Amino acid sequence: MNTQPVPQHIAMIMDGNGRWAKQRLLPRTVGHVKGAANVRHIVKACNQLGIEYLTLFAFSSENWRRPVEEVSALMGLFLQYLENEVAEMKASGIRLRVIGDRSAFAPLLQSRIDQAEQDTAHNTKLHLTIAANYGGQWDVLNAMRTWQLANPGKTLQDMDADALATHLSTFGLPDPELMIRTGGESRISNFLLWQTVYTELYFTDLHWPDFDAAALKKALQWYAKRVRRFGRTDEQVASTVTASADQAQPAADFGGEVKIS
Ligand code: IPE
Ligand code: IPE
Ligand code: MG
């Protein structure tokens, strides 16, 4: 029986705020207000559970396509979240990072993001990453461009996966073992693309404002039952189960043993 420990890194696509509100005949923005409040509860729950890394998808690079009033309500909530939560983050050991192209944000929001990152930079208990104006394709393209700038004499032939990963916005974070999407859709919607090659994907019909600590524990129970093969067979996994730390580095330990004729 292969039981997974609690994941080190959980990524979440916080979807369903609009439908949560619609079901209650409320404006979509009320759903976002509820959703922002739920971020606080889930961050706290993860911190209590000993999760080390939590990455939340708050605003995608495609979400600019929404009505201008909704976009500005979301920006306002992001600003408010930073203003209200940083003191608590400092007190509870949470380090905040924001990934995504922040140059599109208003100068005030950009400076509050910078300040929040600086104010929590020494915390180590929970690494909270908020993906805002983030797109997985943007992240990979940006990494390729910055790799090229950092390696002016080299060509793409010289680039490998590890080198590229050092230029991704998530550099320093382990790949998520578990990704949770609320809101009933079964897609990634341009969230972490490169980083989720072996991530377990959990989809729930609950809308984000309803996703509470009990629902999180249910997702963790589901995760605990997964068999993570990283391309190998069940038998190989069973024989290496004692060396479970190897699972974080797929293919590292079978390199010299497998002969292809
Ligand atoms: C997720 O909820 C929040 C953001 C994308 C910012 P939605 O606003 O997408 O909610 P639905 O999918 O319309 O219900
Ligand atoms: C994904 O939700 C983005 C966030 C949760 C921030 P969307 O609601 O934008 O995704 P699609 O458009 O339904 O795929
Ligand atoms: Mg949605």
Side-chain angles (χ1 to χ4, degrees), residues 90-162:
K90 276 160 85 175
S92 49
I94 298 171
R95 176 172 183 173
L96 178 78
R97 285 191 190 87
V98 175
I99 56 170
D101 181 4
R102 65 180 77 174
S103 67
F105 295 145
L108 178 65
L109 180 54
Q110 290 188 46
S111 74
R112 290 286 153 81
I113 292 171
D114 293 343
Q115 192 64 49
E117 288 181 330
Q118 280 170 33
D119 288 351
T120 61
H122 300 294
N123 289 345
T124 53
K125 192 157 179 268
L126 171 67
H127 296 254
L128 171 64
T129 304
I130 295 186
N133 193 20
Y134 179 87
Q137 291 186 341
W138 164 84
D139 202 2
V140 174
L141 280 171
N142 194 50
M144 290 172 82
R145 289 178 184 133
T146 57
W147 176 89
Q148 184 68 88
L149 287 173
N151 296 280
K154 294 190 177 172
T155 73
L156 282 183
Q157 303 303 319
D158 303 310
M159 188 168 72
D160 61 20
D162 287 344

Side-chain angles (χ1 to χ4, degrees), residues 13-15 57-60 63 66 181 185 187 189:
I13 301 178
M14 309 184 290
D15 196 19
F57 202 9
F59 191 86
S60 77
N63 286 146
R66 294 189 177 199
R181 182 176 185 141
E185 309 296 351
R187 55 178 175 252
S189 302

